Amino acid sequence: MTLESSELEFASRYEAFAAQGQLYSQREGSPLLEFASGGRVLYLFDRSGPYRGRPGPARVVVHGVLDRRGDGPRVLTPDELGRAREALTVVGVSEVEGVGKLLAVSRRVWVVHARLPLVLGAFEELPGAEVGEWVSFRTLPPLHGFLL
């Protein structure tokens, strides 16, 4: 089971959900992009190839694999909705957890706005959810970045 057929196809499919931000210069040979968006600095595994990213303003599709362990990704309950606020916390080097609103939904992908748009995939079917609902989630490392 794969979440993408090619880097170009994936970036093109989710281009409308690219995050706007600042790309910082990277060390020679580093596979990680340092990308600031939504008040957070993310370290993204560069899926667009070496030397493509230039420091400065950038549009990046940020993609993570959902962590299904523990509480797993879930739709917030009606009691939680009253307190719901967009949140995104960097955990470790290249993983995040947060709360956000669903922008797009399919069987294995949620696009969530949690300070910035995130394309979050899973290798198995996700809990039933609809666009506009609020969800909580955590990703596995590493986050992937597709430069546009």
Side-chain angles (χ1 to χ4, degrees), residues 23-99:
L23 194 60
Y24 294 100
S25 57
Q26 62 192 89
R27 288 183 28 201
E28 179 70 27
S30 173
L32 295 180
L33 298 170
E34 187 174 1
F35 180 63
S37 181
R40 300 292 179 263
V41 176
L42 304 174
Y43 291 93
L44 310 173
F45 182 70
D46 184 357
R47 296 299 305 278
S48 303
Y51 310 111
R52 185 156 171 241
R54 300 281 182 241
R59 291 182 61 233
V60 178
V61 175
V62 178
H63 172 53
V65 175
L66 288 162
D67 187 348
R68 300 295 305 251
R69 297 173 294 178
D71 204 15
R74 64 183 183 83
V75 176
L76 298 185
T77 66
D79 290 342
E80 294 171 310
L81 284 176
R83 302 182 308 272
R85 301 257 189 281
E86 281 189 19
L88 189 67
T89 303
V90 177
V91 182
V93 173
S94 187
E95 60 188 292
V96 293
E97 65 182 6
V99 173

